[in-house]
Amino acid sequence: MKIIILGAGQVGGTLAEHLAREENDITVVDTDGAKLRELHTKLDIRTVTGAASYPIVLRQAGCEDADMLIAVTNTDEINMIACQVAHTLFRTPTKIARVRSTAYLTRKGLFAHEAIPIDVLISPEQVVTDHVRRLIEHPGALQVLEFAGGLVQLVAVKAFYGGPLVGQDLAFLAKHMPNVETRVAAIYRRNRPIIPRGDTVIEADDEVFFLAARRDIRAVMSELRRVERDFRRVVIAGGGNIGERLAEHLEHSHQVKIIEHSLERCTALSERLDRTVVLHGSATSKRLLEEENIEDCDIFCALTNDDEVNIMSSLLAKRLGAKKVLTLINNAAYVDLVQGGEIDIAISPQQATIGSLLTHVRRGDIVNVHSLRRGAAEAIEAIAHGDKQSSKVVGRTIAEINLPEGTTIGAIVRGKEVIIGHGDVMVESGDHIILFVIDKRRIRDVERLFQVGLTFF
């Protein structure tokens, strides 16, 4: 595909890296020549220096014959105008834009072909908020992803010493929990992937990714690690868009406090939120954290836009007795560095957002893509179409499907029914198939599985 990415920031740069690896024709546009030179050297992609919304710049970038425009500059208005220009002058087929401001997102009918022609809206703040919310709802999880409208969840947990399944093979899981359908999709041991088989033994400190129906997630988690009680007391550092949205969602079911350094923002938050306690001060203030009894806090969420503040406030909160800390980190290089030590969960907003973008880039009927382990692997939800003659998956059992190496089918959703992906399950047209792809180089092969042959038409 010929794809133009507007914005060479963290999201734009990460996205370019993902897509360039998959042999797409990528052009990145930005006003910052130094960033573009760095990307060009690293990825060997085409770059254009200039204002992303200017018609002449979009023409230089090749908008006339581009398949897709992805506008992820730091300015909502530039992203929106660029999509308008691409539609009006160049008839670009697919236009994706990052829009952050709720003032735009809450207006119905604004983003339509007869108004501002954006095909797909991405709101990073909402994506990250949902990501954090799911982690709070599942104490002990490192990652929680939803498929098929929430019917199925993929959860990553770390296996602990003393867990019932540690030292047992995966075949034991089925015997031990006969009434719960689950499938271990992948295991990471010392940062290396292991394709799970029945005789694979779970070791302490393994990162285990498993799929199950939403109702069964808690039961499976309790087998892999100590059961943690529900989070009730939540402290949020940072009252920006993410902090406010998270508090708004949690305040009726949890005890929520927000620490915000801007007095003006504190006033606005206290007017908009109903039950949340809004505190004016610095999240890195030991005195403030002690005064607010941080030792009683179930989870401390550092969600400011400053990595250093997030990391230092998390370390301080943990040292002062917070039971769990969750930290938002923009610099991807820091994420692996800090997670798993004093900081329990580190979240990269770029990786959370990338999945939303990749969903619309994938070929075949792909409805959901989640980037895992900082982009090393992917979980994909695809819809099977056709019949046995026109499709490589329909009318075949999972065991008969020629899956690319390192790819596993975890579950199939048929209507409202969740079917765990055992070898004898037959795929039908219209099934939602959830796959785990360990080797990103195999993504194209996975896409081809779900592209229908000509006989279907």
Side-chain angles (χ1 to χ4, degrees), residues 107-150:
R107 304 300 296 181
K108 285 185 179 175
L110 183 60
F111 301 104
H113 271 267
E114 63 275 10
I116 301 174
I118 296 173
D119 301 295
V120 182
L121 277 170
I122 301 291
S123 170
E125 282 84 359
Q126 192 57 53
V127 171
V128 173
T129 303
D130 291 342
H131 189 67
V132 174
R133 174 182 56 78
R134 288 194 295 268
L135 288 167
I136 289 173
E137 288 170 357
H138 294 85
L142 295 174
Q143 200 164 10
V144 182
L145 307 171
E146 291 188 340
F147 299 93

Side-chain angles (χ1 to χ4, degrees), residues 90-361:
F90 306 113
R91 296 291 164 192
T92 306
T94 305
K95 298 160 293 296
I96 299 174
R98 175 168 71 173
V99 178
R100 286 176 158 148
S101 174
T102 50
Y104 294 124
L105 295 171
T106 52
R107 304 300 296 181
K108 285 185 179 175
L110 183 60
F111 301 104
H113 271 267
E114 63 275 10
I116 301 174
I118 296 173
D119 301 295
V120 182
L121 277 170
I122 301 291
S123 170
E125 282 84 359
Q126 192 57 53
V127 171
V128 173
T129 303
D130 291 342
H131 189 67
V132 174
R133 174 182 56 78
R134 288 194 295 268
L135 288 167
I136 289 173
E137 288 170 357
H138 294 85
L142 295 174
Q143 200 164 10
V144 182
L145 307 171
E146 291 188 340
F147 299 93
L151 288 172
V152 178
Q153 291 185 324
L154 175 71
V155 178
V157 295
K158 184 169 272 194
F160 273 81
Y161 285 103
L165 289 181
V166 172
Q168 303 282 359
D169 60 29
L170 292 180
F172 178 76
L173 179 60
K175 296 175 198 162
H176 188 62
M177 306 180 71
N179 300 320
V180 175
E181 283 280 311
T182 186
R183 176 76 187 268
V184 173
I187 296 172
Y188 279 83
R189 184 170 296 158
R190 292 180 281 280
N191 289 324
R192 293 193 172 184
I194 296 171
I195 300 290
R197 294 183 176 83
D199 59 354
T200 302
V201 175
I202 295 175
E203 295 182 5
D205 289 334
D206 280 356
E207 199 172 316
V208 182
F209 286 82
F210 69 88
L211 271 163
R214 186 189 192 114
R215 64 180 179 273
D216 295 329
I217 291 294
R218 282 290 179 93
V220 182
M221 282 182 68
S222 67
E223 294 301 313
L224 290 167
R225 50 176 295 123
R226 294 185 297 271
V227 179
E228 295 188 19
R229 64 187 179 90
D230 288 346
F231 296 141
R232 280 283 164 256
R233 298 180 183 87
V234 181
V235 175
I236 300 170
N241 287 334
I242 297 172
E244 181 183 357
R245 289 181 192 191
L246 185 63
E248 197 172 20
H249 184 88
L250 296 176
E251 66 179 355
H252 295 286
S253 54
H254 297 70
Q255 295 175 27
V256 183
K257 294 178 181 178
I258 287 185
I259 301 171
E260 169 56 45
H261 70 88
S262 163
L263 185 57
E264 186 181 353
R265 182 67 180 164
C266 283
T267 306
L269 288 169
S270 60
E271 288 170 357
R272 287 202 286 264
L273 296 168
D274 296 328
R275 298 185 181 180
T276 300
V277 176
V278 181
L279 304 165
H280 177 233
S282 169
T284 56
S285 165
K286 183 182 177 186
R287 183 181 57 78
L288 176 61
L289 294 179
E290 286 176 334
E291 282 176 0
E292 295 304 323
N293 302 315
I294 195 69
E295 71 276 6
D296 296 330
C297 161
D298 293 318
I299 186 163
F300 177 88
C301 303
L303 306 175
T304 78
N305 57 7
D306 187 312
D307 284 356
E308 282 70 25
V309 168
N310 288 344
I311 292 169
M312 295 312 294
S313 63
S314 296
L315 293 173
L316 182 60
K318 193 68 182 279
R319 189 66 55 88
L320 294 174
K323 293 169 187 63
K324 274 276 170 77
V325 294
L326 179 152
T327 312
L328 192 69
I329 300 178
N330 284 290
N331 187 334
Y334 288 177
V335 176
D336 288 328
L337 196 65
V338 300
Q339 179 165 288
E342 291 281 296
I343 291 173
D344 300 291
I345 304 168
I347 293 176
S348 162
Q350 299 94 289
Q351 290 300 337
T353 308
I354 290 299
S356 306
L357 293 164
L358 290 176
T359 302
H360 306 285
V361 177

